Amino acid sequence: MTIKADWIAVDWGTSNMRAWAMSGSGTVLAEGSSDKGMGRLTPTEFEPTLLEVASEWIDGPTTVMACGMVGAKQGWIEAPYAAVPCAAMGGNLVTAPTQNPDLSVHIIPGVKQASPADVMRGEETQIAGFLARNPGWDGVICLPGTHTKWVHISADEIVSFQTFMTGELFEVIGKHTVLRHSVTSNDWDQAAFDSGLSDGMARPERIAAQLFSLRAQGLLDGLGNDAARARLSGLLIGAELAAAKPYWLGQQIAVIGAGGLSKLYVDALAAQSAPATQVNGTAITLAGLTAAYRAHKSDGIEGSRQ
Amino acid sequence: MTIKADWIAVDWGTSNMRAWAMSGSGTVLAEGSSDKGMGRLTPTEFEPTLLEVASEWIDGPTTVMACGMVGAKQGWIEAPYAAVPCAAMGGNLVTAPTQNPDLSVHIIPGVKQASPADVMRGEETQIAGFLARNPGWDGVICLPGTHTKWVHISADEIVSFQTFMTGELFEVIGKHTVLRHSVTSNDWDQAAFDSGLSDGMARPERIAAQLFSLRAQGLLDGLGNDAARARLSGLLIGAELAAAKPYWLGQQIAVIGAGGLSKLYVDALAAQSAPATQVNGTAITLAGLTAAYRAHKSDGIEGSRQ
């Protein structure tokens, strides 16, 4: 059975890419993925990688809408950032060079902030997807991940945002420091997470000491790896919530992301009397790419009418 | 020329060991080192490693005084921690098993604290060395390094202490995160360190955001690697100084350690109107090992008199 895509949606990050064959009405017809993320590719390798995943969906001229690190300086082609305050997809699409004349690849630019210096690539598309589904929504969007982002939305624009390296710190501390033997675990101790969260929020400046104390508690008190791992996560997320409080306090909050990590943020915010809505990340990415595709298509139609 | 040691001093850490041939009066006759730290050795491999470095200093029965991770559970033999409050070398020496009957190896135990859970191995010997040279000294000793320690000394005892993973965080963030391309540099930008220190002290909870901002400043403002590296160091040390303020505020302060890192702490404290004395780390380690040797020898003489 052959699937012919009306257009193709692509989310191309640093470490992997995902692609969806889409119908004109925005239905997913098929999906594929590759571990050839932007970090592994030179500019001329993006097109063959896309075709490895999507070639059988292509029959004739096909539009591709792509977001993420594919538009970075080291990506397929650089898509210059839009500057806040701006609409989530406020920048101009950039057309990537292709060998295959049937392919028309458009890259959604990221968003930058001058001070404090900050950047995003990919999240702007999720934010646009969320706003397309929730017109007129004002508040704060949290996007947990390797580099968690807090984004203030007002009047359909990104007003400001702040990125925390919390997820990446959790990973490198667990893999590369003296704690690596203390936090390797597949289990989860919710009570240890909760107490770490509370301590991290209350005394965020003490993180570097509290980390070493995890090691000492393992040596002296027999603290188990599951408890140490959950407490490490709680300490780091707690310190982030303390610093991000000016963002979330008293605001309507949406947390975008699937699964466990986002749930931890939602629960932690709830414990602070800050209820947050959790939204599926993949669905929201597709909503954003679909919004970008429709805007591009209507631009084209308007252009041809002129 | 053959050197005969009256006794041998050893500082055996996780990643390397250093040994000194000592005269009875405490003069260094020769020195050697090995990269066979505790982390690379099984218990039976310590003696051959010591002999690789020190065998030519040995002629007849010889006492060896050793400190550091050599006394950890995974070391030559475990030397159980003394518990605070206690004298710096308040624990009992532990004799390590040897094949060579001429070798009499004594390991200085570390110090533990129940709450907040914390441990040290090696630093207690430096602290004892410092106190041997400065009898009756009260105040706070800071020992910068991979795991920086702040130690409150009163009435010749360690009252309490706190370890910060600042040095290790600086290393893994620089090597294993997205910042690795931003902070690789052999140069140093003192102004960037100073501003990072100030920001880290003022808003220590924002560390995870300020780290990502280093990356964004590189992308958007062309922040150079030397400035980014120095600012990263400043941010982390600043957050530590904020958290350690209950230790150093209003106290007499000594910073033990050679070279650049300790100098950064001394300068940072001076900027907070907290003058600190910098003390050479190796000399202080030897002073501590010498004090341990003399105490052990006089115990032995007293023992033989009984």
Side-chain angles (χ1 to χ4, degrees), chain B residues 66-241:
Chain B
C67 68
M69 293 301 283
V70 64
K73 195 173 288 186
Q74 305 82 5
W76 192 336
I77 185 170
E78 185 174 7
Y81 297 108
V84 294
C86 62
M89 295 195 301
N92 293 319
L93 294 180
V94 170
T95 303
T98 55
Q99 299 289 316
N100 183 330
D102 279 345
L103 275 183
S104 175
V105 177
H106 305 284
I107 297 179
I108 299 168
V111 174
K112 69 178 176 185
Q113 175 175 279
S115 180
D118 216 328
V119 292
M120 67 171 73
R121 279 199 189 276
E123 292 90 350
E124 77 293 329
T125 301
Q126 296 189 294
I127 294 164
F130 179 79
L131 294 178
R133 288 191 172 188
N134 301 274
W137 190 92
D138 275 6
V140 167
I141 299 179
C142 172
L143 303 106
T146 304
H147 300 153
T148 297
K149 294 183 191 285
W150 293 84
V151 186
H152 181 201
I153 305 291
S154 180
D156 293 324
E157 288 198 329
I158 298 177
V159 178
S160 68
F161 64 105
Q162 187 155 38
T163 306
F164 293 79
M165 278 180 48
T166 308
E168 192 163 22
L169 286 176
F170 178 73
E171 192 179 316
V172 301
I173 289 167
K175 267 191 191 166
H176 299 293
T177 73
V178 69
L179 292 183
R180 64 190 178 279
H181 304 300
S182 308
V183 302
T184 306
S185 169
N186 292 317
D187 286 328
W188 186 258
D189 182 328
Q190 187 63 39
F193 174 84
D194 291 342
S195 83
L197 185 79
S198 169
D199 292 346
M201 281 202 74
R203 300 291 306 275
E205 76 281 7
R206 292 194 53 219
I207 277 286
Q210 285 163 323
L211 294 182
F212 190 80
S213 208
L214 287 177
R215 170 71 178 150
Q217 284 181 275
L219 291 170
L220 302 181
D221 307 331
L223 182 73
N225 279 21
D226 49 348
R229 181 178 181 79
R231 183 170 165 81
L232 171 62
S233 174
L235 286 168
L236 292 170
I237 293 176
E240 178 185 328
L241 289 181

Side-chain angles (χ1 to χ4, degrees), chain A residues 125-143:
Chain A
T125 302
Q126 297 189 294
I127 294 164
F130 179 80
L131 294 178
R133 288 190 172 189
N134 301 275
W137 191 91
D138 275 7
V140 167
I141 298 178
C142 172
L143 303 107

Side-chain angles (χ1 to χ4, degrees), chain A residues 251-254 266 269-270 272-277:
Chain A
Q251 291 279 357
Q252 185 168 220
I253 309 170
V266 169
L269 287 164
Q272 298 297 316
S273 305
T277 308

Side-chain angles (χ1 to χ4, degrees), chain A residues 52-202:
Chain A
E52 282 170 23
V53 174
S55 63
E56 59 183 30
W57 307 336
I58 299 170
D59 178 19
T62 304
T63 295
V64 177
M65 302 299 304
C67 68
M69 293 301 283
V70 63
K73 196 174 287 188
Q74 305 83 5
W76 193 334
I77 185 171
E78 185 175 6
Y81 298 108
V84 295
C86 61
M89 295 195 302
N92 293 320
L93 294 180
V94 171
T95 302
T98 55
Q99 299 289 315
N100 182 330
D102 279 345
L103 276 183
S104 175
V105 177
H106 305 283
I107 298 179
I108 299 168
V111 173
K112 70 180 175 183
Q113 176 176 278
S115 179
D118 215 329
V119 292
M120 65 170 75
R121 279 198 190 276
E123 292 90 350
E124 77 294 327
T125 302
Q126 297 189 294
I127 294 164
F130 179 80
L131 294 178
R133 288 190 172 189
N134 301 275
W137 191 91
D138 275 7
V140 167
I141 298 178
C142 172
L143 303 107
T146 305
H147 300 150
T148 297
K149 294 185 190 283
W150 292 84
V151 185
H152 181 201
I153 304 291
S154 180
D156 294 324
E157 287 198 330
I158 298 176
V159 179
S160 69
F161 64 104
Q162 187 155 39
T163 305
F164 292 79
M165 276 181 47
T166 308
E168 191 163 22
L169 287 175
F170 179 74
E171 191 180 317
V172 301
I173 289 167
K175 267 191 191 165
H176 299 292
T177 73
V178 69
L179 293 183
R180 63 191 178 280
H181 305 300
S182 308
V183 301
T184 306
S185 168
N186 292 317
D187 286 329
W188 186 257
D189 182 328
Q190 187 63 38
F193 174 85
D194 291 342
S195 83
L197 185 78
S198 169
D199 292 347
M201 280 202 74

